[in-house]
Amino acid sequence: MAAEDALRDEDGDNPVVRRIPVFFNRARAADQTLCVLQYPLRPADRPYDIQHVDAVRYKPKSGKLEIELPRNKGEAANERNVDPEAAPNLRADRRALVSTETPVREGYCVAAMHEGTLHLTPVDA
């Protein structure tokens, strides 16, 4: 029995509708590192606006990555926590996200679909 027939027989009510070519990318320049940025405590319905990044800083000795974002003026939580009468130099008009390094287990990858193909790249940090 061919592999395709075996898939169909095992999962008769859930057939394969599309096959996608997969490419595994191990090659990167020696000075490149692929990191995954996650914010597990940030509610999913309140994502950070990463389209408007003010600055990004990397500190190689500590391995810290800092991303500076402008404060979203329409965000209700920010409006409650900001004193509109405070002097301009005391207002929090930016937010800094600072990384915390966590060990990466072997086998984690980042995946991207591009022109109908799936590209996998191993994660370093």
Side-chain angles (χ1 to χ4, degrees):
M1 181 183 289
E4 189 172 314
D5 292 335
L7 281 175
R8 224 178 251 128
D9 289 343
E10 289 177 20
D11 221 359
D13 63 339
N14 190 19
V16 174
V17 294
R18 182 176 171 199
R19 295 195 182 276
I20 301 170
V22 177
F23 296 94
F24 191 72
N25 180 17
R26 291 182 196 265
R28 274 197 305 279
D31 63 342
Q32 289 182 331
T33 301
L34 180 62
C35 301
V36 173
L37 304 178
Q38 300 180 64
Y39 307 99
L41 300 179
R42 182 76 173 178
D45 62 336
R46 291 183 47 223
Y48 290 116
D49 181 10
I50 59 171
Q51 300 299 317
H52 300 98
V53 173
D54 284 346
V56 176
R57 291 176 291 280
Y58 177 66
K59 299 178 178 181
K61 287 184 182 177
S62 65
K64 294 281 184 186
L65 180 67
E66 298 177 358
I67 302 173
E68 194 173 290
L69 302 170
R71 183 176 68 88
N72 183 353
K73 292 179 178 25
E75 196 172 348
N78 281 331
E79 296 305 320
R80 285 194 309 265
N81 296 323
V82 174
D83 180 1
E85 297 175 14
N89 64 331
L90 299 177
R91 291 185 195 152
D93 61 346
R94 296 194 185 342
R95 125 183 339 142
L97 306 176
V98 181
S99 68
T100 301
E101 191 172 353
T102 56
V104 176
R105 294 186 191 142
E106 183 115 358
Y108 281 85
C109 292
V110 170
M113 287 291 292
H114 180 69
E115 297 179 357
T117 60
L118 180 66
H119 296 260
L120 299 174
T121 304
V123 172
D124 298 316

